[in-house]
Amino acid sequence: MPVTIIIGSQWGDEGKGKIVDLLSQDADVVARYQGGANAGHTIVCNGRRTVLHLIPSGIFNPDCICLLGSGMVIDPVQLMDEIAMLQDIGITIKGRLFIGHRAHLVMPYHKLLDNLNERNRGDKAIGVTGKGIGPAYTDKYTRIGIRIADLFNRKTFRDKLEANIIAKNRIIHELHNEPKLDLDEIYDYYVKFDEKIDPMVKDISVYLNEAIDAGKNIICEGAQGTLLDVDWGTYPFVTSSNPTSGGALTGLGIGPTRIDKVLGLIKAYSTRVGEGPFPTEFHDDMDVLMRDAGDEFGATTGRARRCGWFDAVIARYSARINGVSKWALTKLDVLSEFDELKICTSYEYNGKRLKDFPVDLEVLTKVQPVYEEIIGWRQDISGIRNFNELPIAAKDYIKRIEQLTGTQVELISVGGERNQTIKV
């Protein structure tokens, strides 16, 4: 059985929640490999809308095991709230959700510092979610982070926590003039958290490799998107981890020879939340029209997403970086609202044609997209389940994306519900 990595190929918000929920109906394990509560995966089932920030979307399949990988940073408050929310709607968690013991914890000072740092950036703000993700990964890479495994030994945990709080209080109180954090209060909360999750903690690498050897069907679920990757995204307007396919290997403790497929998710148009360059962004009424048609508001922050035309330069880049096997094209139905569509095929900068995605932020900010115009189909396609029944113009649009990216589309989403999907 296959091991499939599912990645976002743009700036996130490509519909990973829905596609993972759909594919997990035939999966044995779904494992989230990076990020934290800054993700927002929306699942719509029988008219009920659920947003998950930490727990994999496979949780809605009662036969599926869900894993939180060691590449994640886990906020205990968000995790317990999410577990309670799922239990309230009848989802079984016991024996189905497990947490990697090497995963790092988001602490109260991470969230506080995240917001203070963003506030101090002023007009150079990055557009963070304020969930403490960046500071948590900072502590991880400066080797002062606190992991799930550190909770096992109370003395080790308290010693590490005390050293962190002393250092963080200097910044919080002396630099930002905010109240100091209380060691005992935080220590007691995390000890109680440890007692609640103790049966869920596992060596995720051992578990996954044994599942692969047993022939299980496994989905590795990423958060955010390729253009938000800390190494390959539009730095510094990125997240603090690796949403790209390579992050699945390090975040879950599995080797590259274990992977059978990388499914890249691309939206039929482009969106971005927060600051940073966006070559095909609308700067007219189309921004509002596309946002309203696609309900483009962030699942985590509620912020309005910036909208633009499909960017084949970005899609080609993402296919190369991730080794994308096939595309899942999402929100194609949204484009039914428009008579004429555009696809960006390349960029122009200083009179030169650029077919590859530039690394220089100044260049990326100033490039002019080169568009192809395509006739729209002006027909409701949300009820279509057979590729052959799609309007000719819609099939032409899909074919052109395949030609420009060199990668075939195998799945098309035409609505928010799980069953509003077309297999090609």
Side-chain angles (χ1 to χ4, degrees):
M1 297 293 284
V3 179
T4 301
I5 301 175
I6 295 181
I7 57 101
S9 302
Q10 294 153 317
W11 281 283
D13 307 312
E14 300 93 351
K16 291 181 291 297
K18 173 190 169 170
I19 299 301
V20 172
D21 175 51
L22 172 71
L23 298 180
S24 69
Q25 301 310 302
D26 298 317
D28 299 297
V29 181
V30 177
R32 169 90 180 268
Y33 60 84
Q34 47 75 226
N38 53 339
H41 292 174
T42 303
I43 298 95
V44 181
C45 187
N46 298 324
R48 184 182 65 207
R49 183 176 184 269
T50 306
V51 179
L52 298 175
H53 301 280
L54 288 169
I55 297 175
S57 307
I59 199 69
F60 291 97
N61 172 8
D63 298 319
C64 187
I65 298 296
C66 291
L67 308 177
L68 302 183
S70 296
M72 295 182 66
V73 289
I74 297 173
D75 178 0
V77 177
Q78 178 63 47
L79 179 60
M80 299 315 296
D81 285 350
E82 213 160 286
I83 288 172
M85 178 269 293
L86 289 168
Q87 289 175 328
D88 285 346
I89 61 175
I91 303 296
T92 301
I93 299 296
K94 186 177 180 181
R96 294 189 52 224
L97 177 65
F98 298 102
I99 306 167
H101 61 343
R102 295 174 184 269
H104 280 246
L105 288 161
V106 173
M107 309 301 290
Y109 45 78
H110 292 140
K111 290 187 276 189
L112 180 56
L113 287 169
D114 206 9
N115 286 287
L116 291 172
N117 291 338
E118 184 75 346
R119 184 184 71 186
N120 285 349
R121 291 186 184 105
D123 60 2
K124 294 183 179 179
I126 294 172
V128 300
T129 60
K131 302 295 184 179
I133 308 303
Y137 276 112
T138 297
D139 280 3
K140 174 178 178 176
Y141 289 112
T142 52
R143 298 178 295 282
I144 59 172
I146 296 174
R147 303 183 298 172
I148 296 285
D150 293 323
L151 299 176
F152 300 164
N153 185 312
R154 297 288 190 255
K155 184 179 186 305
T156 298
F157 170 52
R158 189 175 180 93
D159 288 347
K160 285 190 172 186
L161 180 62
E162 183 174 17
N164 269 285
I165 286 183
I166 289 171
K168 299 299 191 289
N169 272 339
R170 291 195 188 104
I171 301 170
I172 291 166
H173 182 64
E174 296 175 19
L175 182 61
H176 295 287
N177 200 30
E178 296 285 340
K180 291 183 177 181
L181 296 173
D182 183 82
L183 170 63
D184 292 329
E185 181 181 341
I186 296 173
Y187 175 80
D188 289 344
Y189 179 87
Y190 279 76
V191 167
K192 290 176 182 176
F193 170 70
D194 178 49
E195 292 168 353
K196 292 175 183 176
I197 66 163
D198 189 59
M200 303 179 187
V201 178
K202 278 189 181 294
D203 186 323
I204 295 300
S205 175
V206 171
Y207 184 91
L208 271 176
N209 280 279
E210 288 178 348
I212 295 169
D213 290 339
K216 300 292 186 181
N217 188 2
I218 296 167
I219 293 174
C220 307
E221 177 183 13
Q224 291 89 42
T226 299
L227 274 297
L228 294 179
D229 187 279
V230 70
D231 292 311
W232 298 102
T234 52
Y235 189 89
F237 300 98
V238 293
T239 192
S240 301
S241 60
N242 295 108
T244 42
S245 58
L249 309 181
T250 54
L252 296 173
I254 54 179
T257 56
R258 297 293 214 172
I259 306 304
D260 298 287
K261 179 180 180 180
V262 178
L263 181 64
L265 270 63
I266 47 171
K267 198 178 284 186
Y269 50 99
S270 301
T271 62
R272 176 167 197 165
V273 170
E275 304 302 319
F278 184 0
T280 65
E281 183 175 12
F282 299 131
H283 296 287
D284 53 24
D285 292 343
M286 273 297 296
D287 186 52
V288 176
L289 292 172
M290 188 73 81
R291 185 182 303 122
D292 289 345
D295 190 26
E296 295 295 349
F297 297 90
T300 298
T301 63
R303 290 178 293 182
R305 295 174 184 145
R306 300 153 61 192
C307 298
W309 293 120
F310 184 87
D311 191 333
V313 180
I314 284 173
R316 285 194 298 269
Y317 176 76
S318 185
R320 171 165 56 86
I321 295 299
N322 293 289
V324 171
S325 311
K326 301 282 186 180
W327 294 125
L329 182 66
T330 62
K331 288 202 166 184
L332 184 66
D333 55 301
V334 174
L335 297 184
S336 298
E337 298 282 329
F338 307 101
D339 293 316
E340 185 180 272
L341 308 173
K342 294 181 181 181
I343 292 178
C344 171
T345 60
S346 60
Y347 303 147
E348 277 193 358
Y349 177 72
N350 283 348
K352 294 182 180 179
R353 187 67 60 94
L354 305 178
K355 290 188 177 181
D356 295 317
F357 193 69
V359 66
D360 191 311
L361 205 64
E362 184 176 346
V363 172
L364 190 58
T365 303
K366 294 179 179 178
V367 295
Q368 294 298 314
V370 178
Y371 287 116
E372 277 186 16
E373 295 185 358
I374 296 178
I375 301 298
W377 47 91
R378 272 291 185 177
Q379 176 185 333
D380 181 10
I381 61 172
S382 61
I384 294 175
R385 301 293 177 268
N386 187 311
F387 180 78
N388 293 327
E389 295 175 5
L390 284 171
I392 292 174
K395 288 189 277 190
D396 288 344
Y397 187 81
I398 295 164
K399 183 179 180 181
R400 190 60 182 135
I401 287 175
E402 291 179 327
Q403 291 171 339
L404 288 167
T405 62
T407 304
Q408 290 184 320
V409 173
E410 75 165 17
L411 202 60
I412 303 165
S413 171
V414 291
E417 292 273 357
R418 180 193 297 161
N419 66 345
Q420 289 182 293
T421 310
I422 301 168
K423 292 183 179 179
V424 181

